């Protein structure tokens, strides 16, 4: 991943209802770099699609957000949470990703580079990742 022209993390954000075990998983075409889609749900149009297979779909209904696990499936499981709760989850994801990105350069220096070699492609990639992954509203 460190040698890619464009640093990305496949998979997107997952939301799990711990009481029911229902998990809202992003589809194959969605990743953390698509964080603006979450902003559309809470502050924009009120809806967003998160890839396909499954066809994950989120919509805002007043003060509630409904996360449909697979919109192409009738009777698909859903997770409902308040807009405030979703904002807290997004803030937490932002902190986690920011903390991860803050620790990554030291880990790379210790594990992937010899003492005389500097990580040539990681620095710019990390800066790109910081801009892409930070979940600002």
């Amino acid at each position: 991943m460190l040698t890619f022209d464009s640093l990305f993390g496949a998979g997107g954000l997952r939301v799990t209802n711990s009481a029911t075990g229902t998990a809202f998983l992003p589809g194959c075409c969605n990743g953390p770099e698509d964080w603006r889609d979450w902003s559309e749900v809470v502050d924009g149009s009120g809806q967003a699609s998160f890839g396909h297979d499954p066809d994950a779909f989120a919509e805002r209904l007043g003060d509630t957000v409904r996360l449909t696990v697979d919109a192409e499936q009738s009777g698909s499981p859903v997770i409902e949470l308040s807009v405030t709760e979703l904002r807290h989850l997004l803030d937490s994801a932002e902190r986690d990703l920011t903390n991860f990105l803050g620790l990554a350069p030291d880990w790379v220096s210790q594990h992937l580079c010899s003492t005389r070699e500097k990580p040539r492609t990681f620095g710019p990639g990390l800066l790109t990742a910081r801009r892409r992954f930070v979940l600002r509203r």
Side-chain angles (χ1 to χ4, degrees), residues 24 35 39 43 64 66 76 88 91 100 103 124-125 127:
F24 179 84
W35 63 268
S39 294
D43 295 318
T64 301
R66 178 181 293 150
S76 172
H88 288 301
D91 289 344
F100 168 78
L103 296 171
L127 293 176

Side-chain angles (χ1 to χ4, degrees), residues 5-110:
D5 290 334
S6 178
L7 186 62
F8 69 95
L13 300 176
R14 172 185 182 142
V15 178
T16 303
N17 180 329
S18 57
T20 65
T22 301
F24 179 84
L25 304 169
C28 64
C29 302
N30 190 264
E33 69 277 6
D34 297 313
W35 63 268
R36 287 178 183 89
D37 294 348
W38 288 101
S39 294
E40 275 299 307
V41 175
V42 295
D43 295 318
S45 69
Q47 58 185 4
S49 179
F50 293 91
H52 59 279
D53 295 327
D55 290 301
F57 184 75
E59 59 187 326
R60 181 174 176 166
L61 306 166
D63 290 334
T64 301
V65 174
R66 178 181 293 150
L67 307 176
T68 303
V69 172
D70 190 346
E72 292 295 314
Q73 197 179 70
S74 64
S76 172
V78 298
I79 297 173
E80 290 189 350
L81 63 160
S82 71
V83 172
T84 301
E85 187 176 4
L86 180 56
R87 282 193 175 119
H88 288 301
L89 290 171
L90 294 172
D91 289 344
S92 177
E94 176 184 355
R95 278 190 306 277
D96 289 347
L97 289 169
T98 300
N99 290 338
F100 168 78
L101 292 172
L103 296 171
D106 287 339
W107 185 89
V108 169
S109 295
Q110 291 174 12

